[in-house]
Amino acid sequence: MYVGGNWIAGQTSFDDINPSDGSLYARIPDGGRAETRMAIAAAQAAFPAWSNLMFQERAHYMLKIADVWERRAPDFVAAAQAEGGGWFGKGMFEAGYVAEVFRAAAGVLYGSIGEVLPSEHGKFSTAVRYPMGVISVISPWNMPGILTARGFAFPMAAGNTIVLKPSEDTPYAGGLFFAEVLEEAGIPKGVFNVITCSRERVQEMGDEMIENPLVKGISFTGSTPVGRQIAAKAGAHLKKCCVELGGKDSLIVLEDADMERATSAASFGSFMHQGQICMSVEKVLVQESIYADFLRQFVARASRLKTGDTKDKANVIGPLINERQVVRVKHQIEDALAKGAKAVLGGRVWDRYVEPTILTNVTPDMAVWRDETFGPVAVVVPFKTDAEAIALNNDTEYGLSAGIITRNEERALRMARQLETGMCHVNCSSINDEPHVPFGGSKASGLGRHGGKWSLETFTETRWITLDRGHRPYPPVF
């Protein structure tokens, strides 16, 4: 683990498995409360000096991180393939994106950090944002580069110090690799710390990362059930948190859609990284008049995707990350088929692989309609009117992202205002992200926003500071 600028060994370790073939990828330190407290103490000790640096000095560090990351991009891609089971192209996309996260974090430091307010008493009145202190970051396995970087880059740039716990499924690509990069970039000791643990010790380490009194904020990206627990615990301690959670996202294809664009958006949105993305298209809602034509072309396009070990770059669909995910996805497929759904493509599950699957005749009583799938499964459902499409999209506890494919932008914007999602993309897939935008969802998809100035709003404290130049009078009795 990486604590206080030093590499420390754990007393025990756990196996980090390559999901493509079940082989041992690495042995990872299995930490607990003691290591967590050590990392938090190191981050707290580093906070005064780091937060007192001039903003441009922290910006320069962010740019150094981006440069080192770019040089080491091939190393990350190899790890994302072997440790995370990702396709080569997905790894390349992540590697390129992460460098921009740090550059965006540098850039945001040159923006406003507060406001000048009017004063009833002629004071010079300001509202200024200040860093909070130690921020705990808990990152997921599905996009270990992007979602880890986004979780800590902006808070750290703002002057906070970081304790990162990556997922036990990608502890290297999502954690220890970042420690190597930041160490090479010369980040001062203690500013950035990485601790790791097995699944069996997640509760122990996670509780300390939330409850420790030195921790001032929590950044979490992951499942909704875990996010609920983290938000509740943070709230009990009156700590700020940003939780980006699951989704049950729709692609709405209107009757005037460009069919090439629509089927491409559906295929990418549903099957990129085996559907293991919070913004993945899980419902494809298609207007009745083009339903048959769309379904035929969507099936034809998706049938070309090859499934297998991602060591072979031709295999776009790799394994699911672990056995739990396989069981979850297999159950949803079998439940749907047992209740009358039809698999017009795929449906086969073996080892950790699920081939791209397209289901029709899906009804609301099926688990695949209600629950997040997080696998390469898409349901295609016809609708008659815009109002019906909106209702079908909103028929879920989630509210992360959506896409609308149409030539009529005015119609799309009118619909977008009625979708209960934190994000909506016209003539594009629901999978969209940029480092400087307000990323996040509504309802059970999260609380708060990552990215750009919105991250700074979450992970800074606002202070009201005045200078009395008008000599505000006090009552004579005093």
Side-chain angles (χ1 to χ4, degrees):
M1 290 176 273
Y2 187 68
V3 176
N6 300 304
W7 292 95
I8 64 171
Q11 293 184 353
T12 59
S13 62
F14 66 97
D15 291 347
D16 183 11
I17 300 299
N18 180 329
S20 289
D21 58 16
S23 64
L24 179 67
Y25 174 73
R27 295 187 63 82
I28 303 294
D30 192 5
R33 281 192 182 272
E35 292 84 358
T36 308
R37 288 170 180 162
M38 188 187 309
I40 292 170
Q44 177 64 26
F47 174 68
W50 178 250
S51 61
N52 283 319
L53 286 179
M54 296 300 292
F55 76 93
Q56 72 271 21
E57 295 179 273
R58 292 198 302 273
H60 294 167
Y61 276 119
M62 297 299 111
L63 296 175
K64 288 178 184 177
I65 295 169
D67 290 343
V68 174
W69 178 276
E70 280 193 334
R71 287 199 300 273
R72 294 205 54 189
D75 299 331
F76 172 79
V77 174
Q81 284 184 270
E83 185 183 43
W87 167 52
F88 174 79
K90 181 258 190 185
M92 288 295 292
F93 169 75
E94 269 203 274
Y97 187 104
V98 168
E100 294 309 303
V101 171
F102 290 103
R103 292 185 178 121
V108 81
L109 294 182
Y110 288 82
S112 171
I113 60 168
E115 301 176 60
V116 176
L117 309 175
S119 171
E120 295 178 356
H121 306 287
K123 294 186 176 187
F124 183 73
S125 180
T126 66
V128 185
R129 291 193 170 274
Y130 286 85
M132 299 164 62
V134 179
I135 304 298
S136 291
V137 179
I138 302 172
S139 68
W141 49 263
N142 58 324
M143 288 281 180
I146 293 174
L147 299 183
T148 297
R150 191 177 66 195
F152 80 82
F154 292 95
M156 193 174 90
N160 299 294
T161 52
I162 305 298
V163 175
L164 166 67
K165 188 204 83 64
S167 167
E168 65 276 11
D169 286 309
T170 52
Y172 180 68
L176 298 172
F177 180 78
F178 278 91
E180 294 175 1
V181 169
L182 268 67
E183 183 180 51
E184 185 176 340
I187 300 303
K189 292 186 176 184
V191 170
F192 181 74
N193 307 272
V194 180
I195 51 178
T196 55
C197 71
S198 63
R199 183 172 179 81
E200 290 72 26
R201 302 188 77 180
V202 164
Q203 183 87 41
E204 173 188 349
M205 183 172 278
D207 284 349
E208 186 67 29
M209 292 181 74
I210 298 167
E211 297 169 357
N212 190 297
L214 296 178
V215 171
K216 304 305 180 186
I218 300 98
S219 170
F220 172 78
T221 305
S223 72
T224 292
V226 176
R228 290 184 194 275
Q229 295 178 34
I230 288 174
K233 289 178 180 178
H237 292 273
L238 299 179
K239 295 183 180 183
K240 296 174 76 174
C241 70
C242 183
V243 291
E244 193 269 293
L245 310 176
K248 192 70 182 175
D249 304 321
S250 297
L251 180 71
I252 301 173
V253 183
L254 300 179
E255 58 200 346
D256 65 344
D258 178 289
M259 197 62 71
E260 175 70 17
R261 182 64 174 174
T263 55
S264 179
S267 182
F268 171 80
S270 300
F271 305 125
M272 172 65 170
H273 196 42
Q274 298 82 263
Q276 298 177 125
I277 303 173
C278 55
M279 299 173 284
S280 289
V281 172
E282 298 197 0
K283 299 177 181 178
V284 186
L285 311 177
V286 186
Q287 200 141 27
E288 276 187 346
S289 60
I290 62 167
Y291 178 82
D293 190 28
F294 172 86
L295 184 61
R296 176 181 57 80
Q297 294 191 45
F298 181 31
V299 169
R301 181 182 290 273
S303 66
R304 299 196 294 266
L305 298 172
K306 294 183 178 181
T307 303
D309 192 325
T310 54
K311 282 186 294 190
D312 182 348
K313 293 181 182 179
N315 289 328
V316 177
I317 309 299
L320 299 193
I321 191 66
N322 55 45
E323 295 297 335
R324 298 187 307 280
Q325 290 299 119
V326 175
V327 169
R328 175 192 184 92
V329 175
K330 184 178 180 181
H331 164 73
Q332 288 195 12
I333 294 172
E334 292 176 345
D335 173 75
L337 296 176
K339 292 176 179 176
K342 180 182 178 182
V344 294
L345 180 71
R348 194 162 67 97
V349 180
W350 71 98
D351 298 330
R352 291 191 180 180
Y353 296 95
V354 180
E355 62 185 349
T357 299
I358 299 174
L359 301 175
T360 60
N361 299 338
V362 170
T363 54
D365 62 319
M366 300 175 185
V368 75
W369 178 262
R370 297 188 315 272
D371 302 332
E372 184 179 34
T373 303
F374 230 62
V377 180
V379 304
V380 185
V381 179
F383 67 86
K384 294 180 180 179
T385 66
D386 293 2
E388 183 182 1
I390 292 165
L392 290 169
N393 174 86
N394 293 345
D395 183 25
T396 173
E397 67 169 333
Y398 298 104
L400 187 56
S401 187
I404 303 174
I405 310 296
T406 176
R407 289 183 170 90
N408 188 332
E409 292 183 345
E410 181 182 357
R411 181 183 180 187
L413 290 174
R414 187 169 61 248
M415 294 179 70
R417 286 193 291 268
Q418 300 176 67
L419 300 180
E420 297 171 350
T421 59
M423 302 172 284
C424 182
H425 307 285
V426 177
N427 287 319
C428 202
S429 162
S430 57
I431 298 178
N432 270 274
D433 197 2
E434 295 182 39
H436 60 289
V437 304
F439 186 96
S442 60
K443 300 176 10 180
S445 288
L447 182 68
R449 293 293 183 270
H450 286 293
K453 67 178 183 180
W454 293 273
S455 283
L456 299 192
E457 289 175 2
T458 301
F459 294 110
T460 56
E461 294 284 4
T462 301
R463 298 178 186 171
W464 180 39
I465 300 175
T466 70
L467 301 174
D468 189 350
R469 293 171 174 173
H471 302 291
R472 177 188 178 186
Y474 301 111
V477 68
F478 292 100

